[in-house]
Amino acid sequence: MIAPLLVPLLVPCALPPLARRATARLTPVAALWWLTATTVVLAVCSLVALGALTLYGLLALPAFAALGDLIHPLGATPALLPLASAATGALAVCAWTLPRSAARQIGDYHAAKEAADSRPTAGDLCVIDSPEPDAYALPGSPGRIVVTTAMLRS
């Protein structure tokens, strides 16, 4: 019964070859939507699997042993307790890094948008002075394509 919990954790390893094939055969917009939806589904499945493994670990503790009837569907294999401990650690790492990463990315987006909005544009194109070659697109209304002067020189 442990295999259904491990499959969602292993499926993302098979995704890169499928993603390369999909992006080669689909239009860019369809490939973007497909990859985004697939990533969200895999993240939710992994979170559920980690949560179920963590639940097993919690039910092995005396404070939660009263809820022991919930553990029977998982099966009491000796390998499940170390997996539950690892899942708890992985869940803790995810809980720690997700908000930090989201806050950093939102901050980077706002800084890039502010830098692009303060510069003159030619339609959707904005050129920013920077010694590093870089180019990126900013979503939103109005969307911007940002290119640095180092990228133009190179």
Side-chain angles (χ1 to χ4, degrees), residues 5 9 45-58 87-88 91:
L5 295 176
L9 299 175
C45 290
S46 296
L47 187 64
V48 168
L50 287 173
L53 287 170
T54 300
L55 176 66
Y56 176 81
L58 287 175
T88 304
L91 217 52

Side-chain angles (χ1 to χ4, degrees), residues 10-143:
L10 298 175
V11 168
C13 298
L15 187 62
L18 294 174
R20 279 192 285 279
R21 293 182 76 191
T23 56
R25 294 183 178 174
L26 297 173
T27 64
V29 172
L32 176 67
W33 281 105
W34 183 83
L35 289 173
T36 302
T38 304
T39 302
V40 169
V41 167
L42 288 174
V44 168
C45 290
S46 296
L47 187 64
V48 168
L50 287 173
L53 287 170
T54 300
L55 176 66
Y56 176 81
L58 287 175
L59 291 175
L61 298 174
F64 296 98
L67 302 173
D69 291 336
L70 296 174
I71 204 167
H72 294 299
L74 293 176
T77 61
L80 206 51
L81 192 56
L83 285 172
S85 300
T88 304
L91 217 52
V93 168
C94 290
W96 172 256
T97 58
L98 181 67
R100 292 181 61 203
S101 176
R104 182 179 43 82
Q105 289 181 17
I106 290 170
D108 289 347
Y109 167 74
H110 286 300
K113 184 137 176 75
E114 184 177 306
D117 288 344
S118 67
R119 304 276 188 214
T121 61
D124 291 339
L125 180 65
C126 178
V127 178
I128 294 179
D129 293 326
S130 175
E132 297 293 321
D134 198 9
Y136 52 90
L138 289 173
S141 180

